[in-house]
Amino acid sequence: MSAVIIDGKAVAARVRADVARDVAEFRAATGLQPGLATVLVGDDPASAVYIGGKRKACVEAGMADLHQHLPADTAQDEVAALLDSLAADPAVSGILLQLPVPRGLDGSALVGRIPPGKDVDGLTTASVGLLSRGEPGLRPCTPSGILELLDAYEVALEGASAVVVGRSELVGRPVAQLLVDRNATVTICHSRTRDLAAVCRGADVLVVAAGKQAIIGADAVKPGATVIDVGMHRTEAGLCGDVDFDAVREVAGKLTPVPGGVGPMTIAMLLRNTLLAARAAAGQDVNS
């Protein structure tokens, strides 16, 4: 029996609709409008497309689009000064610096200037520290989107064996922490893991964020397991992920497609983070 295909587009649409409704209620109650400041340095075409999608979604959710575009030759101190001014601006709920930045700029140092309360990407050292300690804070968008998908499809996490393939700061490490926080027993695999397929076969939940096309085949999947494919690769045949979709769908119980799985969740969770940041700044209980 083929796996149930997890519809990330549908789940993301629901999250975005919920955020739009909550933004309208927030504005009615406070008179304030959440504002997202996206910062793009340079004219990288892919980055421009990504930023464009985020800005469009922001407006559709009823938030203020506070985009900032700087030339590629902008100096480090000038970008830092802009980020500092956005950090001090009460109209700005969230700040997102589009990465990578042009050569000659220190992206990590620039991201580090974003205060945790406005770090809607959840990437600063302070945000990572809050996550690792299990304290309230803004969580990285793709990892939190993965948890949203698992919840939407009622995947049991408490007591489950979870394997994460990939240890990046963007996805692998934070999603592993989020799974631990949900009482899953988590193993992190990477390029030096011995007998990767054997380790993965023990997983009830398998999250693959290795950045390597079709690294996971049917032999690495436990029958009935939930498989989340975070990879994205362009081929002559179109987009594909880190998982051999056609082979794994005959073994897995639930499986995300590429495209249409994890991808749509990233912007949806960015919008939710921006609203959470605005509510926290206004003194509201973000858990209400």
Side-chain angles (χ1 to χ4, degrees):
M1 182 178 294
S2 294
V4 172
I5 303 304
I6 295 175
D7 189 345
K9 291 182 180 179
V11 178
R14 175 183 57 76
V15 171
R16 289 171 66 162
D18 289 347
V19 169
R21 179 201 65 220
D22 292 345
V23 166
E25 292 178 357
F26 175 81
R27 294 179 68 177
T30 66
L32 302 173
Q33 182 181 25
L36 175 62
T38 51
V39 179
L40 176 63
V41 185
D43 298 292
D44 178 75
S47 292
V49 170
Y50 295 146
I51 284 288
K54 294 166 184 174
R55 295 178 64 190
K56 181 172 183 262
C58 171
V59 172
E60 289 174 349
M63 300 181 184
D65 171 22
L66 306 175
H67 179 63
Q68 304 289 321
H69 187 188
L70 299 174
D73 60 357
T74 304
Q76 179 89 9
D77 58 353
E78 293 178 86
V79 183
L82 172 62
L83 292 171
D84 290 346
S85 69
L86 294 173
D89 187 346
V92 176
S93 308
I95 304 170
L96 184 152
L97 175 64
Q98 183 65 39
L99 300 174
V101 293
R103 183 175 298 180
L105 295 178
D106 185 341
S108 295
L110 292 171
V111 168
R113 303 189 80 90
I114 301 173
K118 295 189 178 187
D119 178 23
V120 288
D121 248 352
L123 297 180
T124 65
T125 300
S127 294
V128 172
L130 292 170
L131 172 60
S132 68
R133 291 174 61 90
E135 297 181 12
L138 298 171
R139 306 312 193 202
C141 299
T142 299
S144 58
I146 291 170
L147 270 291
E148 190 75 20
L149 288 177
L150 294 171
D151 287 342
Y153 279 78
E154 299 182 341
V155 177
L157 295 178
E158 184 157 352
S161 173
V163 171
V164 178
V165 184
R167 51 181 171 177
S168 72
E169 295 180 0
L170 294 177
V171 180
R173 294 174 191 263
V175 79
Q177 184 64 57
L178 290 174
L179 288 166
V180 167
D181 290 346
R182 294 288 296 275
N183 297 318
T185 299
V186 181
T187 301
I188 299 179
C189 296
H190 44 77
S191 60
R192 298 186 183 180
T193 298
R194 296 177 182 174
D195 200 349
L196 177 63
V199 178
C200 292
R201 277 197 302 273
D204 302 307
V205 178
L206 178 60
V207 179
V208 189
K212 184 175 181 181
Q213 183 179 337
I215 189 175
I216 296 297
D219 65 325
V221 177
K222 177 182 180 179
T226 297
V227 181
I228 305 294
D229 188 354
V230 188
M232 179 75 78
H233 309 277
R234 295 188 181 277
T235 70
E236 292 183 357
L239 296 175
C240 66
D242 288 354
V243 173
D244 184 339
F245 182 84
D246 290 334
V248 169
R249 73 182 303 178
E250 301 304 321
V251 181
K254 298 181 177 72
L255 173 64
T256 57
V258 176
V262 174
M265 296 303 300
T266 300
I267 288 181
M269 304 313 289
L270 171 65
L271 297 176
R272 179 183 284 178
N273 274 354
T274 304
L275 174 59
L276 290 173
R279 292 178 64 187
Q284 291 189 352
D285 180 1
V286 298
N287 295 312
S288 65

